[in-house]
Amino acid sequence: MDRSSLFQLIQEQLDPENTGFIAVENFTSLVEDHELQLDPSKLDMLLALVQSNEDGQVCYQELIELMSSKRSSSFRRAIANGRRTLQREILLDETGLGLYKRFVRYVAYEILPCETDRRWYFHQNRLCPPPVFIAIVTIVQIIVFMCYGIMLNKWVLQTYQPDFMKSPLVYHPGHRAQVWRFFSYMFMHVGLEQLGFNALLQLMIGVPLEMVHGILRISLLYMAGVLAGSLTVSITDMRAPVVGGSGGVYALCSAHLANVVMNWAGMRCPYKLLRMILALVCMSSEVGRAVWLRFSPPLPSSGPQPSFMAHLSGAVVGISMGLLILRSYEESLQKQCSWWVIVFSFITFLLFAIFWNIFAYELLGVQIPPPP
């Protein structure tokens, strides 16, 4: 029985009056009398949804969304509060998996805190579309760094080379009218150490997040961190340039770490405490290195060195917007009031930053270093 025929059967036989609800007894008999071509995990969830309903009814629309691979928050609450425990073995006990499926299972346990969500992701995962956003960003960053490294014949502390700061990609307060620089600075890096740190975290954390939550949500989070980073520097460190993708990287990392902490008991990633400590130490060390380069540059320079504020603003974006995104796996963000509060706050910050960049520099008499 194909899906369209099944939907028609459910509506005609179990909800002929189009009330929008189906009696539990009628649906149970449908499951027992007809072959449903669904994977076992989805069938278990259907039965759990039926048996957890206290009113003896199943919402027809919710049932259709589930069978169409769409999940709703009400369905998740029904599963979480249901009286029936899903009977299938947990993913770690499944054997005979291929290399790709084992990797998908690994990603599920790295990112998701609930066994029901992990099983849902494992059975619903498709290779198309692949997680290409983080990979493309990382490849472009490496290519740009290699080009400037060869051109300048310098692989560390490239910002001390005047030709580096002349790049049309670097954010410089003297060129803030060139709007693309508020984004394009993420492709430039101080040196090999910053590029290596950012690329490693992007691939280790960003790719699994993109596999689970999709390219749209993770790219939105990453770019929001990048934009917040340059705008924050333009407000709080008005004479400093910005380079590096740390705003986006810290948005991803902070969101993931906060999600792990808030769902500590449910996370099943191995050595999570040790890995949490190492991640915090590495991130703190990178911020400390950026502060040192900003205020105590080891070499003479013609102007201020890149600011560290992009790291901090990226972390704020991750803890606010990013945490909500990661906690809303397979749920609609548009239906959540907290999502619109965060969007409104970000837009307010964006408008304030725009007016600040237009008027504040002149009103405050800020002496901007001459643009290269």
Side-chain angles (χ1 to χ4, degrees):
M1 179 182 298
D2 59 22
R3 183 175 296 173
S4 59
S5 300
L6 179 60
F7 290 168
Q8 185 177 3
L9 175 66
I10 293 175
Q11 185 172 19
E12 291 179 353
Q13 295 189 7
L14 305 184
D15 187 24
E17 299 180 358
N18 293 322
T19 62
F21 293 92
I22 303 170
V24 170
E25 296 81 3
N26 294 339
F27 179 78
T28 304
S29 64
L30 174 69
V31 173
E32 295 174 351
D33 298 339
H34 297 272
E35 180 180 358
L36 298 181
Q37 297 179 354
L38 300 171
D39 61 70
S41 177
K42 182 178 289 188
L43 185 56
D44 281 340
M45 292 179 181
L46 278 170
L47 293 174
L49 174 63
V50 170
Q51 298 187 14
S52 66
N53 191 283
E54 297 179 355
D55 299 327
Q57 293 180 324
V58 180
C59 176
Y60 173 76
Q61 183 59 39
E62 195 165 85
L63 179 63
I64 297 303
E65 288 181 353
L66 172 63
M67 298 181 68
S68 301
S69 299
K70 297 179 181 178
R71 299 178 65 188
S72 63
S73 57
S74 57
F75 166 73
R76 297 189 65 186
R77 287 194 297 270
I79 294 296
N81 301 324
R83 296 186 295 272
R84 182 179 187 275
T85 302
L86 302 181
Q87 298 298 321
R88 286 176 56 81
E89 296 178 344
I90 61 176
L91 288 181
L92 286 177
D93 297 331
E94 294 198 18
T95 58
L97 299 177
L99 180 62
Y100 175 70
K101 273 299 185 182
R102 288 201 298 269
F103 178 67
V104 171
R105 180 174 63 182
Y106 163 79
V107 169
Y109 278 92
E110 283 290 312
I111 303 301
L112 297 171
C114 175
E115 183 65 22
T116 301
D117 286 341
R118 289 191 284 260
R119 285 173 48 192
W120 177 270
Y121 168 72
F122 180 81
H123 289 288
Q124 293 296 319
N125 176 263
R126 300 292 184 270
L127 190 57
C128 184
V132 296
F133 174 77
I134 295 296
I136 291 176
V137 168
T138 304
I139 291 173
V140 173
Q141 289 172 340
I142 293 174
I143 292 175
V144 171
F145 177 79
M146 294 292 292
C147 291
Y148 277 91
I150 295 173
M151 181 178 67
L152 302 174
N153 194 26
K154 191 175 182 64
W155 303 95
V156 295
L157 300 179
Q158 291 183 349
T159 53
Y160 289 91
Q161 291 283 352
D163 289 338
F164 178 88
M165 300 305 294
K166 293 179 182 178
S167 169
L169 301 179
V170 173
Y171 168 80
H172 189 281
H175 291 307
R176 65 186 184 279
Q178 300 173 358
V179 179
W180 72 83
R181 292 176 180 262
F182 286 90
F183 296 93
S184 62
Y185 77 93
M186 72 179 188
F187 297 115
M188 305 290 290
H189 287 83
V190 172
L192 187 61
E193 70 287 351
Q194 186 189 25
L195 173 66
F197 178 82
N198 285 349
L200 182 64
L201 286 183
Q202 283 177 181
L203 295 176
M204 291 182 60
I205 296 179
V207 171
L209 287 176
E210 189 177 345
M211 290 178 63
V212 173
H213 296 282
I215 184 173
L216 291 179
R217 291 189 176 189
I218 298 305
S219 61
L220 172 64
L221 175 59
Y222 188 92
M223 296 308 296
V226 169
L227 180 59
S230 55
L231 291 177
T232 301
V233 171
S234 71
I235 296 173
T236 61
D237 199 358
M238 300 171 66
R239 301 180 69 250
V242 190
V243 295
S246 298
V249 172
Y250 274 63
L252 296 179
C253 294
S254 300
H256 179 57
L257 294 180
N259 191 42
V260 171
V261 170
M262 295 189 66
N263 298 280
W264 189 262
M267 299 300 293
R268 292 293 182 265
C269 47
Y271 309 109
K272 56 185 177 182
L273 179 58
L274 176 61
R275 293 164 63 182
M276 174 74 70
I277 295 174
L278 288 176
L280 292 176
V281 169
C282 291
M283 293 172 66
S284 301
S285 300
E286 171 62 16
V287 174
R289 186 195 66 85
V291 173
W292 170 62
L293 291 177
R294 174 67 180 90
F295 294 110
S296 299
L299 298 174
S301 59
S302 58
Q305 288 299 294
S307 177
F308 60 91
M309 290 302 297
H311 299 70
L312 304 182
S313 58
V316 172
V317 170
I319 294 174
S320 55
M321 178 187 295
L323 182 58
L324 179 60
I325 289 176
L326 300 195
R327 288 170 60 88
S328 302
Y329 170 64
E330 289 274 346
E331 292 184 30
S332 174
L333 292 172
Q334 291 83 351
K335 296 180 180 180
Q336 302 184 46
C337 179
S338 53
W339 169 252
W340 291 111
V341 171
I342 291 175
V343 170
F344 176 78
S345 301
F346 191 85
I347 293 176
T348 302
F349 166 73
L350 178 62
L351 294 176
F352 171 79
I354 292 174
F355 279 98
W356 181 275
N357 277 272
I358 294 175
F359 301 109
Y361 280 77
E362 183 176 352
L363 292 176
L364 297 177
V366 178
Q367 297 296 321
I368 302 175

